Amino acid sequence: MSRVVVVTGATSGIGRAAAREFAGRGDRLVLAARSPGTLAQVRRECEEAGAEAHDVPTDVTAPGALDALAAAAVGQFGRLDVWVHTAAVMAYGRFEEIPAEVFEQVVRTDLLAAAGAARVALRHFRAAGGGTLILTGSVLGHITAPYMSGYVTSKWGLHGLARALQQESRDLPGVHVCLVTPGSVDTPVYQQAANYVGRVGRPPLPITTPERVARAIVGCADRPRREISVGRVNVLMRVGFTALPAVYDMLVGPLMRLGGLTNRPVPPTEGVVFRPNPAGAAVRGGWLPALPGLVRTVGGTAASAGAAVLRRLR
């Protein structure tokens, strides 16, 4: 029997990739995000993949919105089996230069809305005798980086919340709380972030794909796990942060300025912290080359080089 899956943050990045992944599995989807037009587009993508899908325009920070979302899921499909929370925003800048209202909205979206989603989902799961809550954390919930204080604060809080919820649900055998912890991911969140540092942000290397994170999310729905880390150097960064804090703090600032910020100037902006930008909504952020294009480029270059060698040999 197919599952009923709620996905928040479904119009972009990891959330959109997860919606597609669940759709490909034949699950029934309830999709939530702030932009009605883009959300309808994602619903059509899921339907084209053969899934039943229902879109519910939702601002996860609005009072009562998450209760309404759960009610819509139950009203449409009769139950609620999996809740995936991926909604998140970001702001760049020194802590004292980020407007207080922007910092607070980042925390409200990335942490308090996740807590609200957990509260609603766990109440339904407890009443139903089972269900899986999947929260999307970050390696920045285990380490820190400058110029991202609101996001870091939120993800540290989210990791603590997830651990507490896992402890509290030990007496509920059918209820699972999972945390998926990616490192740098090729999504539009960096370009769409609020920015008060003057340079457009980017994901530091190495970068993984949102599709890989989506597969980890679906894997948690299939076989729940306490935490899944997605990223080749996540463990290394955590070890450095914990075992060599003085060295880590000395290096992280220069590395962030080199690898986490582009040279493209940007004026102060609220980004999508308070309102969505449908034009910027996509699964990928363009930080990784498209594989087919890369293969064609490499193949073409190799062919040209081979032809040149043959001409010389003649």
Side-chain angles (χ1 to χ4, degrees):
M1 182 181 293
S2 64
R3 298 167 293 202
V4 176
V5 182
V6 169
V7 181
T8 62
T11 53
S12 188
I14 293 170
R16 191 165 184 168
R20 291 177 176 179
E21 191 74 20
F22 279 112
R25 300 286 294 273
D27 291 313
R28 292 176 286 174
L29 291 161
V30 179
L31 307 169
R34 294 178 294 180
S35 175
T38 312
L39 197 59
Q41 180 182 343
V42 178
R43 172 180 53 77
R44 290 191 293 270
E45 291 173 0
C46 293
E47 290 172 342
E48 289 169 2
E52 289 185 72
H54 181 57
D55 54 314
V56 184
T58 304
D59 181 345
V60 296
T61 67
L66 294 165
D67 285 300
L69 177 58
V74 174
Q76 183 72 20
F77 294 119
R79 67 178 198 275
L80 174 56
D81 301 313
V82 179
W83 189 302
V84 179
H85 187 80
T86 72
V89 293
M90 190 183 291
Y92 286 101
R94 291 184 180 274
F95 171 72
E96 70 274 16
E97 295 174 353
I98 297 175
E101 61 272 18
V102 173
F103 179 92
E104 290 166 5
Q105 185 68 7
V106 170
V107 175
R108 190 174 293 115
T109 303
D110 297 1
L111 175 56
L112 299 183
R119 184 178 297 110
V120 171
L122 291 173
R123 285 173 178 168
H124 278 267
F125 295 159
R126 181 182 288 272
T132 302
L133 170 66
I134 303 172
L135 300 171
T136 308
S138 168
V139 69
L140 288 176
H142 291 295
I143 65 174
T144 59
Y147 315 120
M148 302 177 70
S149 55
Y151 190 81
V152 169
T153 298
S154 300
K155 293 305 182 180
W156 274 72
L158 184 63
H159 279 69
L161 174 67
R163 185 68 177 269
L165 296 180
Q166 289 166 349
Q167 294 165 349
E168 291 180 4
S169 61
R170 287 176 62 84
D171 62 341
L172 302 171
V175 176
H176 306 281
V177 178
C178 307
L179 185 66
V180 175
T181 306
S184 294
V185 186
D186 180 19
T187 76
V189 69
Y190 309 92
Q191 299 101 315
Q192 303 224 78
N195 198 303
Y196 303 91
V197 77
R199 294 160 58 187
V200 175
R202 66 182 173 193
L205 296 172
I207 306 169
T208 193
T209 66
E211 291 85 358
R212 183 182 173 198
V213 184
R215 289 192 293 271
I217 288 172
V218 174
C220 277
D222 293 339
R223 294 175 297 279
R225 295 169 59 182
R226 292 170 61 86
E227 182 173 352
I228 295 181
S229 177
V230 184
R232 286 175 289 174
V233 298
N234 288 7
V235 173
L236 179 63
M237 288 189 290
R238 290 175 61 177
V239 169
F241 180 82
T242 303
L244 300 167
V247 175
Y248 180 94
D249 287 353
M250 179 179 64
L251 294 176
V252 69
L255 288 174
M256 179 65 184
R257 290 188 290 273
L258 178 66
L261 298 171
T262 70
N263 290 323
R264 288 185 304 171
V266 59
T269 175
E270 294 178 348
V272 298
V273 169
F274 293 102
R275 55 194 61 83
N277 173 26
V283 173
R284 297 282 189 104
W287 302 106
L288 288 173
L291 184 58
L294 182 62
V295 170
R296 285 194 297 271
T297 300
V298 172
T301 302
S304 298
V309 170
L310 288 175
R311 284 195 298 270
R312 287 177 176 272
L313 290 175
R314 289 173 186 159

